[in-house]
């Protein structure tokens, strides 16, 4: 197993970046297919024979049982092939006691008569056309018997328990230090339940050839879904080929998979023909997973000079009755600011709600909405600039573990952001800047998000045309995976970008964990680099052993790869010529990455600083963002364009979290009442004024062999807090119950 | 999907004749609302009559000095029309405050008036709704009713009418012209086309079965300024929380009732010299609320005086 020092000591083509492919603003590899509508998403994949179409039916109660099922009319409806409920669905592997993100296990569909949450899938109708399936679905008669339900988070705090296997983390004596602190903040912040709202709903096209199943579906984790599906169907893993070539958004919501995959597979087997199943938008809201609501109590104690002496974040959150997911909204605070006395922890309430799970920057996205506002409040109490307060509390080493930082440029992000944004023009006194009907305010917040590396494999093949094909069981969920893999391949093998093909999203390819936790580029890319280095070696060995090659005789370690040409000083030939002579069928090398044995010695994160200008209409309580600037430090950037796109996308999501987003739970029915995109408000173009993301020059040589880190989840972390702070600076009102909608802001303004 | 039949009307007379003869038929033009409702199994017409290609898309001057807007004129076309922009700016402002560019390109003037509420309980067929299923009850009454009515609501329904355009038409004293199956041409005041919910919230207008809106007729613009202000959770493509149209001394409120709400008490108070704050307070004295929509009362009280000031030339 390699060590971090190996990574630091060893140069490689990505670090050297001689052809300049790394960091460049390269257009998306699959962009033309997507914008011309020719990239086949899972539901659009054409199966080998005409498919049947499945429509799912969902429970209309939050807790209870299916008391009666009458499918006679639906079965007799034109074109109907089958109607399944728990009574007649084929046998599937048993549901394990608990799910986790990485252990494949069965996920049986239509499992029993029990209803655990509103919108749980309870039946499927499969017919020859989508229209016939929908018509028949309306004829399925399901009766439910309700049982007492607990669905309103804040009504059940008395039932909160510590998540299994967890305990609060305390350093020093928080309570004593907080009690003794001359300056204090003690407040609660609420964030609502949120939904991912991916543009592409969950969808599957499935067919069988004998005992072999092929499924095209929309998931973030190829191997996890493939293995779990096989276990659900109780067939060998190798009997399932799972493809997910194009994914129209994941954000954590497709980290697992749902009934579309299982029931399309089962129905295709039963009918002996391909089957397509997709979720509706309403089913996406209830029937997948969501980010649970949180309530975070933040207590800060500081000296009169602004040194933090005590810091605590205590989060209460919820998950489904059978689940175990915890929104770890306190965790990021363990690494952010220095304070000798610290207390963080989580409490979990189990509710009869849909399944809680990961959504973009789980933990940070919710948690920064509290601490980063509390810091703003503390700065005001101290009469300090919020940037200077943060810099004053910058820790030299990780404040909880004492580990050195792999690299930490948070202060530089804040300083450069302040300068570029014009932070010095901020009037610290709220409510002072008026433009017409609008009050203008500036706000800032720090951003932090963890860095991860997981094991992955990859293969590179060079063919007789000199074209490199990258193969990996990785996904691109809109992030830019295709593109950055192509860049790494081009740089590593010294070929033009146009001579690289990328094949991903297939369980038959070398496995990678997939997309999530902003570990995708580092994990998949590091395996790709290794495959590329191994292919270079293989090419070099062939070249120096080939009498017909000008490179014959070596030394193989001196061979350079540039513009499709391999050379030792002035002796050179085209890579394609060498391969054509020696390996006309192509030459393949594999590579892999594993976390370094000593990776745990460092505290490794990505950092940033958000600056926001908002306008507040004090008559109506409407808030509009005018300018946003994020300055980020996230290691070496592979692709300026796709990285910036992810960062600004996260920042925009932060605006949504601050101002518009959230699912309301109906207290009587236990359902999410805003269950479409007309009711669940994500920001639109008009909500976002100027927006810019700047990436500092940085290399984190301790992160992985390329010195890169992730950006997918960094942009949202802290962004909403900066908006909330700007609102306060504009109008002097604090709303600690997100989202900050006009009704809440008006109430806060009236209370001033 | 449920089977339905479809015809493309060849004339206005033929359209209303079909509608009267064929049970459970509906007109369709832009389809921006009806198709959604059909997909969600909220509307299930047996027969659709496409009126979108009838020659009713013109906008022309009237001999009275007003403007006649054909029912098939798209929202985009009306909003961009030079006469509308110069003489009825409140109408342009209201239209562009609604929907999105794509929706406005498809949506028609008649269809905009006939669109149905955005109440989330109406849209969710697992919930009771007297409008969707008469007699089933009202899920919003005790539910998450943040965006429900504060004027003219009943215990059967607290939904609001979602049109922005209709609020401006109400303030402009517009008339809605129709053709009934018997061939009769009728004319409604824009405020009298829609009904309050009462016991029958499923019956939303005074139109008789088969009656088709053929035009909206604007009288000459009233003296005085015009403005439309809409408050919403996001900057575009969002239903309003409250809106107000001012045209001279006329004040109409949106997102507050089952129909465009002409604030007659406020207008009377203004006409008798009250301040705008006093005037809207008089109107709001009869407002009711169901808890979560209480803020609308305060919001209207704040919004209307500012809108009146803006119509009168204030820069705010």
């Amino acid at each position: 197993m390699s060590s971090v020092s190996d990574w630091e000591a060893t140069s490689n083509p990505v670090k050297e970046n001689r052809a300049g492919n790394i960091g460049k603003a390269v257009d998306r590899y699959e962009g033309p297919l997507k914008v011309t509508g020719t990239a086949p998403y899972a539901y659009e994949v054409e199966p080998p024979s005409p498919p049947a179409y499945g429509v799912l039916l969902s429970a209309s109660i939050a807790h209870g049982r299916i008391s009666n099922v009458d499918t006679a009319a639906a079965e007799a409806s034109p074109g109907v092939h089958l109607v399944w409920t728990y009574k007649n669905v084929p046998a599937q592997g048993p549901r394990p006691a608990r799910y986790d993100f990485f252990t494949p296990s069965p996920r049986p569909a239509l499992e029993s008569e029990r209803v655990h949450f509103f919108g749980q899938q309870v039946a499927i109708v499969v017919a020859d056309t989508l229209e016939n399936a929908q018509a028949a679905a309306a004829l399925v008669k399901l009766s439910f018997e309700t049982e007492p339900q607990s669905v309103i988070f804040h009504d059940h705090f008395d039932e909160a328990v510590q998540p299994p296997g967890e305990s609060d983390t305390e350093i020093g004596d928080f309570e004593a230090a907080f009690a003794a602190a001359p300056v204090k903040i003690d407040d609660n912040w609420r964030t609502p339940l949120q939904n991912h709202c991916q543009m592409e709903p969950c969808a599957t096209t499935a067919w069988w050839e004998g005992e072999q199943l092929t499924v095209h579906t929309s998931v973030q984790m190829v191997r996890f879904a493939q293995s779990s599906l096989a276990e659900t169907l109780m067939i060998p893993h190798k009997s399932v080929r799972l493809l997910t070539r194009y994914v129209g958004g994941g954000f954590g919501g497709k980290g697992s998979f749902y009934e579309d995959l299982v029931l399309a597979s089962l129905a295709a087997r039963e009918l002996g023909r391909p089957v397509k199943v997709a979720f509706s938008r309403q089913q996406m809201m209830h029937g997948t997973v969501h980010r649970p609501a949180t309530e975070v109590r933040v207590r800060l104690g500081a000296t009169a000079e602004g040194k933090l002496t005590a810091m605590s974040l205590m989060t209460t959150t919820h998950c489904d009755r059978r689940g175990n997911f915890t929104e770890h909204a306190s965790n990021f605070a363990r690494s952010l600011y220095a304070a000798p006395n610290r207390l963080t922890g989580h409490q979990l309430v189990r509710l009869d709600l849909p399944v809680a799970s990961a959504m973009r920057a789980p933990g940070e996205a919710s948690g920064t909405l509290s601490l980063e506002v509390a810091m703003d409040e503390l700065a005001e109490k101290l009469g300090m600039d919020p940037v200077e307060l943060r810099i004053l509390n910058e820790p030299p080493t990780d404040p909880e573990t004492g580990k050195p930082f792999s690299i930490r440029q948070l202060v530089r992000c804040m300083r450069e952001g302040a300068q570029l944004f014009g932070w010095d023009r901020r009037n610290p006194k709220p409510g002072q800047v008026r433009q017409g009907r609008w009050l203008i305010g500036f706000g800032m917040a720090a951003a932090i998000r963890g860095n991860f590396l997981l094991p992955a494999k990859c293969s590179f093949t060079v063919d007789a045309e000199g074209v490199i094909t990258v193969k990996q069981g990785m996904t691109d969920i809109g992030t830019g995976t295709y593109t950055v893999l192509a860049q790494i391949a081009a740089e590593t093998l010294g070929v033009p970008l146009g001579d690289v093909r990328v094949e991903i999203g297939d369980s038959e390819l070398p496995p990678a964990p997939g997309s999530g936790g902003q570990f995708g580029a580092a994990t998949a890319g590091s395996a790709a680099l290794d495959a590329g280095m191994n292919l270079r070696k293989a090419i070099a060995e062939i070249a120096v052993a080939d009498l017909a090659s000008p490179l014959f005789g070596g030394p193989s370690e001196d061979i350079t790869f540039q513009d499709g040409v391999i050379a030792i000083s002035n002796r050179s030939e085209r890579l394609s010529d060498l391969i054509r002579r020696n390996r006309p069928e192509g030459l393949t090398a594999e590579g892999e990455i594993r976390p370094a044995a000593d990776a745990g010695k460092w505290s490794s994160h990505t950092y940033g600083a958000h600056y926001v200008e908002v306008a507040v209409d004090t008559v109506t309580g409407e808030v509009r963002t005018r300018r946003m600037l994020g300055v980020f430090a996230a290691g070496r950037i592979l692709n300026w364009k796709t990285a910036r796109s992810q960062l600004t996308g996260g920042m925009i999501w932060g605006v949504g979290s601050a101002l518009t987003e959230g699912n309301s739970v109906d207290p009587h029915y236990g359902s999410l009442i805003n269950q479409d995109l007309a009711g669940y408000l994500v920001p639109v173009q008009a909500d976002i004024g100027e927006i810019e993301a700047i990436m500092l020059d940085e290399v984190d040589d301790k992160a992985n062999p390329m010195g890169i880190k992730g950006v997918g989840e960094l942009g949202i972390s802290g962004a909403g807090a900066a908006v909330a702070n700007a609102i306060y600076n504009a109008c002097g009102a604090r709303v600690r119950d997100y989202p900050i909608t006009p009704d809440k802001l008006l109430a806060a303004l009236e209370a001033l | 999907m449920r089977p339905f039949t479809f015809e493309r009307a060849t004339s206005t007379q033929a359209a209303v004749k079909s509608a009267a003869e064929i049970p459970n038929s509906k007109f369709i033009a832009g389809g921006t609302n009806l198709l959604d409702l059909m997909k969600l199994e909220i509307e299930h017409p047996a027969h659709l009559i496409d009126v979108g290609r009838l020659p009713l898309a013109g906008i022309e001057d009237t001999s009275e000095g007003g403007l006649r807007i054909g029912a098939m004129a798209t929202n985009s076309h009306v909003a961009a029309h030079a006469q509308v922009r110069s003489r009825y700016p409140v109408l342009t402002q209201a239209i562009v405050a609604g929907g999105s560019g794509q929706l406005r390109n498809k949506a028609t003037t008649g269809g905009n008036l006939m669109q149905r509420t955005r109440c989330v309980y109406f849209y969710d067929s697992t919930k009771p709704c007297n409008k969707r299923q008469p007699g089933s009850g009202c899920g919003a009454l005790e539910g998450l009713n943040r965006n429900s009515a504060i004027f003219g609501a009943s215990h059967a329904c607290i939904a609001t009418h979602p049109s922005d355009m209709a609020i401006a038409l109400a303030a402009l004293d517009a008339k809605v012209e129709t053709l009934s199956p018997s061939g009769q041409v009728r004319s409604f005041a824009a405020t009298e086309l829609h009904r309050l919910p009462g016991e029958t919230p499923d019956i939303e207008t005074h139109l008789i079965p088969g009656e088709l809106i053929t035009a909206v007729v604007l009288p000459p613009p009233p003296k005085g300024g015009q403005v439309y202000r809409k408050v919403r959770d996001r900057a575009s493509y969002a239903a309003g929380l409250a809106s107000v149209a001012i045209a001279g001394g006329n004040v109409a409120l949106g997102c507050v009732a089952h129909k465009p709400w002409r604030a007659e008490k406020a207008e009377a108070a203004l006409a008798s010299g009250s301040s705008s704050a006093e005037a809207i307070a008089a109107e709001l004295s009869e407002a009711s609320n169901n808890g979560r929509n209480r803020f609308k009362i305060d919001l209207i009280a704040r919004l209307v005086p500012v809108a009146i000031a803006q119509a009168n030339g204030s820069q705010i």
Side-chain angles (χ1 to χ4, degrees), chain A residues 118 131 134-135 437 617-619 622 660 664 666 668-669 671 673 675 681-682 687 742-743 746 750, chain B residues 1 40 120-121 124 126-128 142 144 146 229-236 295 298-299 302 306 316:
Chain A
F118 186 100
E131 291 78 8
Q134 284 171 333
R437 54 191 262 221
D617 184 329
T618 51
V619 170
E622 291 170 292
T660 58
S664 304
D666 182 281
H668 304 291
Y669 303 101
S671 70
I673 56 144
Q675 52 173 339
L681 301 185
V682 301
D687 289 297
D743 47 337
L746 277 189
E750 298 224 324
Chain B
M1 121 179 177
L40 292 167
V120 288
Y121 293 88
D124 182 346
T126 69
K127 306 292 187 289
E142 309 256 302
L144 303 176
R146 175 173 179 255
R229 284 285 299 271
K230 176 183 182 179
V231 182
R232 44 187 153 177
D233 285 319
R234 71 179 169 194
S236 176
F295 76 97
D298 181 43
L299 183 53
R302 300 169 75 106
V306 174
I316 291 288

Side-chain angles (χ1 to χ4, degrees), chain A residues 60 106 112 120 127 130 141 175 198 205 247 291 306 361 458 470 476 508 537 576 580 598 614 685 688 709:
Chain A
S60 56
S112 79
Q120 176 185 319
L130 178 64
K141 292 189 193 71
E175 296 290 350
Q198 306 94 334
T205 299
V247 179
R291 190 201 299 282
C458 188
V470 180
D476 187 327
E508 312 237 303
K537 262 181 241 154
S576 52
R580 198 174 301 123
D598 53 351
V614 303
Q685 194 76 23
I688 308 297
K709 292 192 277 199

Side-chain angles (χ1 to χ4, degrees), chain A residues 451-465:
Chain A
N451 176 57
F452 311 96
L453 184 71
L454 299 176
K457 295 185 176 176
C458 188
S459 81
F460 273 33
T461 300
V462 56
D463 69 12
E465 305 300 316

Side-chain angles (χ1 to χ4, degrees), chain A residues 174-187:
Chain A
F174 168 77
E175 296 290 350
F178 182 67
V183 186
K184 289 179 204 172
I185 295 291
D186 182 356
D187 269 309

Side-chain angles (χ1 to χ4, degrees), chain B residues 2-22:
Chain B
R2 299 183 190 221
F4 61 88
T5 52
F6 177 88
E7 77 172 277
R8 180 160 288 153
T10 51
S11 71
T12 312
Q13 287 73 15
V16 295
K17 186 161 174 287
S18 265
E21 283 171 1
I22 302 172

Side-chain angles (χ1 to χ4, degrees), chain B residues 108-215:
Chain B
T108 60
T109 303
N112 186 311
L113 290 168
M114 296 303 290
Q115 67 179 304
R116 307 196 69 187
T117 184
R118 298 293 185 267
C119 176
V120 288
Y121 293 88
F122 172 70
Y123 268 82
D124 182 346
S125 56
T126 69
K127 306 292 187 289
C129 173
N130 289 319
K131 183 184 282 296
R132 177 169 26 81
Q133 198 180 349
S136 62
C138 172
L141 213 50
E142 309 256 302
L144 303 176
N145 49 33
R146 175 173 179 255
N147 210 1
S148 53
I150 56 171
F151 289 116
S154 72
H155 67 275
C157 181
I158 57 175
T160 60
H161 195 271
S163 171
D164 291 289
M165 183 191 80
I167 310 307
L169 294 182
L172 289 167
D173 283 324
K175 293 273 195 298
V176 178
E177 274 188 15
T178 66
L179 181 69
S180 66
S182 65
Q184 190 190 358
V185 173
R186 301 208 292 167
S187 179
F188 296 88
T191 48
E192 294 306 318
L193 176 67
H194 300 93
R195 300 158 54 113
L196 288 174
E199 298 299 316
T200 55
D202 54 312
I203 305 171
E204 295 174 347
T205 68
H206 291 289
L207 299 179
I208 61 170
E211 191 169 11
L212 177 69
I213 296 173
T214 52

